Amino acid sequence: MNPMDSLLNLLPNSKRAGVYRSAIDADKIVAAANSAGLQVFKIDLAKARGKSGLFDAFSQALRFPKHFGKNWDAFNDCLTDLAWLDGKGWVIILTNCQLFAAKHEADFDMALDLLEGVAVSWQEDGKPFW
């Protein structure tokens, strides 16, 4: 099975969804996700500065509601709602993470933990969140 076929089988599976580091080319992930009917969001953390910058990057990419409170609880609430987005599920591709994580380790770790919990929450609804 080639990598594209593997992705096409994997990405729609909400039970396998979660937070992963991948060596697979982002363009291949995007193509497979689009073929599977999943929405893809690329979030570049290169210019994000701390928690506020992380929230801004996610808020802009995922079009969070204007009332987003820019705190961890509000971040979780938005990610476990996503009613304003279409699709059978979602793939978030974070780029330039190493620099952000090196400078803001606690915030990056908190975001990853929260994203993992969000993926588990969406599993209950049968929607993949990667």
Coordinates of all heavy atoms in Angstrom, one line a residue, residues 14-21 58 75-76 79-80 92 94 108-124 127 129-130:
S14 N -12.0 8.2 12.9 CA -12.0 9.1 14.1 C -11.3 8.4 15.3 O -10.8 9.0 16.2 CB -13.4 9.5 14.4 OG -14.2 8.4 14.8
K15 N -11.4 7.0 15.3 CA -10.8 6.3 16.5 C -9.3 6.3 16.5 O -8.7 6.2 17.5 CB -11.3 4.8 16.4 CG -12.8 4.7 16.6 CD -13.3 5.2 17.9 CE -14.8 4.9 18.0 NZ -15.4 5.8 19.0
R16 N -8.7 6.6 15.4 CA -7.2 6.7 15.3 C -6.7 8.1 15.3 O -5.6 8.4 15.4 CB -6.8 6.0 14.0 CG -7.2 4.6 13.8 CD -6.3 3.5 14.3 NE -4.9 3.7 14.1 CZ -4.2 3.2 13.0 NH1 -4.9 2.5 12.1 NH2 -2.9 3.3 12.9
A17 N -7.7 9.1 15.2 CA -7.3 10.5 15.2 C -6.6 10.9 16.5 O -6.9 10.3 17.6 CB -8.5 11.3 14.9
G18 N -5.8 11.9 16.4 CA -5.1 12.4 17.6 C -4.0 13.4 17.2 O -4.0 13.9 16.0
V19 N -3.1 13.6 18.1 CA -2.0 14.5 17.8 C -0.7 13.7 17.5 O -0.3 12.8 18.3 CB -1.7 15.4 19.0 CG1 -0.5 16.3 18.8 CG2 -3.0 16.2 19.3
Y20 N -0.1 13.9 16.3 CA 1.0 13.1 15.9 C 2.0 14.0 15.2 O 1.7 15.0 14.6 CB 0.6 12.1 14.9 CG -0.4 11.1 15.4 CD1 -1.7 11.2 15.2 CD2 0.1 9.9 16.1 CE1 -2.7 10.3 15.7 CE2 -0.8 9.0 16.6 CZ -2.2 9.2 16.4 OH -3.1 8.3 16.9
R21 N 3.3 13.6 15.4 CA 4.3 14.2 14.5 C 4.4 13.4 13.3 O 4.4 12.1 13.4 CB 5.7 14.2 15.2 CG 5.8 15.2 16.3 CD 7.2 15.3 16.9 NE 7.2 16.3 17.9 CZ 8.2 16.7 18.5 NH1 9.4 16.1 18.3 NH2 8.2 17.6 19.5
F58 N -4.4 30.2 15.8 CA -5.5 29.2 15.7 C -6.8 30.0 15.4 O -7.6 29.5 14.6 CB -5.6 28.4 17.0 CG -4.8 27.2 17.1 CD1 -3.5 27.2 17.4 CD2 -5.4 25.9 16.8 CE1 -2.7 26.0 17.4 CE2 -4.7 24.8 16.8 CZ -3.3 24.8 17.1
F75 N -10.2 28.4 24.4 CA -9.6 27.6 23.3 C -10.2 26.2 23.2 O -10.6 25.8 22.1 CB -8.1 27.6 23.6 CG -7.2 27.0 22.5 CD1 -7.1 27.6 21.3 CD2 -6.4 25.9 22.8 CE1 -6.3 27.1 20.3 CE2 -5.6 25.4 21.8 CZ -5.5 26.0 20.6
N76 N -10.3 25.5 24.3 CA -10.9 24.2 24.3 C -12.3 24.3 23.8 O -12.8 23.4 23.0 CB -10.8 23.6 25.7 CG -11.3 22.2 25.7 OD1 -10.7 21.3 25.2 ND2 -12.5 22.0 26.4
L79 N -12.5 24.7 20.1 CA -12.1 23.5 19.3 C -13.0 22.3 19.5 O -13.1 21.4 18.6 CB -10.7 23.1 19.8 CG -9.6 24.0 19.3 CD1 -8.2 23.7 20.0 CD2 -9.4 24.0 17.8
T80 N -13.8 22.3 20.6 CA -14.7 21.2 20.7 C -16.1 21.5 20.2 O -17.1 20.7 20.3 CB -14.8 20.7 22.2 OG1 -15.2 21.9 23.0 CG2 -13.5 20.1 22.7
I92 N -5.4 19.6 11.3 CA -4.6 20.8 11.6 C -3.1 20.5 11.5 O -2.6 19.6 12.1 CB -4.9 21.4 13.0 CG1 -6.4 21.7 13.1 CG2 -4.0 22.6 13.3 CD1 -6.8 22.1 14.5
L94 N 0.5 21.9 12.0 CA 1.3 23.0 12.6 C 2.7 23.0 12.0 O 3.3 21.9 11.9 CB 1.4 22.8 14.1 CG 0.1 22.8 14.9 CD1 0.4 22.5 16.4 CD2 -0.6 24.1 14.8
F108 N 3.4 25.4 24.6 CA 3.3 24.4 23.5 C 2.8 23.1 24.1 O 1.9 22.5 23.5 CB 4.6 24.3 22.8 CG 4.6 23.4 21.6 CD1 3.9 23.9 20.5 CD2 5.2 22.2 21.5 CE1 3.8 23.1 19.3 CE2 5.1 21.4 20.4 CZ 4.4 21.9 19.3
D109 N 3.4 22.7 25.2 CA 3.0 21.4 25.8 C 1.5 21.5 26.2 O 0.8 20.5 26.0 CB 3.8 21.1 27.1 CG 5.2 20.7 26.7 OD1 5.5 20.4 25.5 OD2 6.1 20.8 27.6
M110 N 1.0 22.6 26.7 CA -0.4 22.7 27.1 C -1.3 22.6 25.9 O -2.3 22.0 25.9 CB -0.6 24.1 27.8 CG -2.0 24.3 28.3 SD -2.5 23.1 29.5 CE -4.0 23.9 30.1
A111 N -0.9 23.3 24.8 CA -1.7 23.2 23.6 C -1.7 21.8 23.1 O -2.8 21.3 22.7 CB -1.1 24.1 22.5
L112 N -0.6 21.1 23.0 CA -0.6 19.7 22.6 C -1.5 18.8 23.4 O -2.3 18.0 22.9 CB 0.8 19.1 22.5 CG 1.7 19.7 21.5 CD1 3.1 19.1 21.5 CD2 1.1 19.6 20.1
D113 N -1.4 19.0 24.7 CA -2.3 18.2 25.6 C -3.8 18.5 25.4 O -4.6 17.6 25.3 CB -2.0 18.5 27.1 CG -0.7 17.9 27.6 OD1 -0.1 17.0 26.9 OD2 -0.2 18.3 28.6
L114 N -4.1 19.8 25.2 CA -5.5 20.2 25.0 C -5.9 19.6 23.6 O -7.1 19.1 23.5 CB -5.5 21.7 25.0 CG -6.9 22.3 25.1 CD1 -7.0 23.4 26.0 CD2 -7.4 22.7 23.7
L115 N -5.1 19.7 22.6 CA -5.5 19.2 21.3 C -5.8 17.7 21.3 O -6.7 17.2 20.7 CB -4.4 19.5 20.2 CG -4.3 21.0 19.8 CD1 -3.0 21.2 19.1 CD2 -5.5 21.4 19.0
E116 N -5.0 17.0 22.1 CA -5.2 15.5 22.2 C -6.6 15.3 22.9 O -7.3 14.4 22.5 CB -4.1 14.9 23.1 CG -4.2 13.4 23.1 CD -4.0 12.7 21.8 OE1 -3.1 13.1 21.0 OE2 -4.8 11.8 21.5
G117 N -6.9 16.0 23.9 CA -8.2 15.9 24.5 C -9.3 16.3 23.6 O -10.4 15.6 23.6
V118 N -9.1 17.3 22.7 CA -10.1 17.6 21.8 C -10.4 16.5 20.8 O -11.5 16.2 20.4 CB -9.7 18.9 21.0 CG1 -10.6 19.2 19.8 CG2 -9.7 20.1 22.0
A119 N -9.3 15.8 20.3 CA -9.4 14.7 19.4 C -10.2 13.6 20.0 O -11.1 13.0 19.4 CB -8.0 14.2 19.0
V120 N -10.0 13.3 21.3 CA -10.8 12.3 22.0 C -12.2 12.7 22.1 O -13.1 11.9 21.9 CB -10.2 12.0 23.5 CG1 -11.1 11.2 24.3 CG2 -8.8 11.4 23.3
S121 N -12.5 14.0 22.4 CA -13.8 14.5 22.5 C -14.6 14.3 21.1 O -15.7 13.8 21.1 CB -13.8 15.9 22.8 OG -15.1 16.5 22.8
W122 N -13.9 14.6 20.0 CA -14.5 14.4 18.7 C -14.7 12.9 18.3 O -15.6 12.6 17.5 CB -13.7 15.1 17.6 CG -14.0 16.6 17.6 CD1 -13.2 17.6 18.0 CD2 -15.2 17.2 17.3 NE1 -13.8 18.8 17.9 CE2 -15.1 18.6 17.5 CE3 -16.5 16.8 16.8 CZ2 -16.1 19.5 17.2 CZ3 -17.5 17.7 16.6 CH2 -17.3 19.0 16.7
Q123 N -13.9 12.0 18.9 CA -14.1 10.6 18.7 C -15.5 10.2 19.1 O -16.1 9.3 18.4 CB -13.0 9.8 19.4 CG -11.7 9.8 18.8 CD -10.6 9.1 19.7 OE1 -11.0 8.5 20.7 NE2 -9.4 9.1 19.2
E124 N -16.0 10.7 20.1 CA -17.3 10.4 20.6 C -18.4 10.7 19.6 O -19.5 10.1 19.6 CB -17.6 11.1 22.0 CG -16.7 10.6 23.1 CD -16.7 11.4 24.3 OE1 -17.6 12.3 24.4 OE2 -15.9 11.2 25.2
K127 N -16.2 12.0 14.6 CA -15.5 13.0 13.6 C -14.0 13.0 13.9 O -13.6 13.2 15.0 CB -16.1 14.4 13.8 CG -17.5 14.5 13.2 CD -17.8 16.0 13.1 CE -19.0 16.1 12.2 NZ -19.1 17.5 11.7
F129 N -10.4 14.3 14.3 CA -9.7 15.6 14.5 C -8.2 15.3 14.7 O -7.8 14.6 15.6 CB -10.2 16.2 15.8 CG -9.6 17.5 16.2 CD1 -10.2 18.7 15.8 CD2 -8.5 17.6 16.9 CE1 -9.7 20.0 16.1 CE2 -7.9 18.8 17.3 CZ -8.5 20.0 16.9
W130 N -7.5 15.7 13.7 CA -6.0 15.4 13.6 C -5.3 16.6 13.9 O -5.6 17.7 13.4 CB -5.7 14.8 12.2 CG -6.3 13.5 11.9 CD1 -7.5 13.3 11.3 CD2 -5.8 12.2 12.2 NE1 -7.7 12.0 11.1 CE2 -6.7 11.3 11.7 CE3 -4.6 11.8 12.8 CZ2 -6.5 9.9 11.8 CZ3 -4.4 10.4 12.9 CH2 -5.4 9.5 12.4

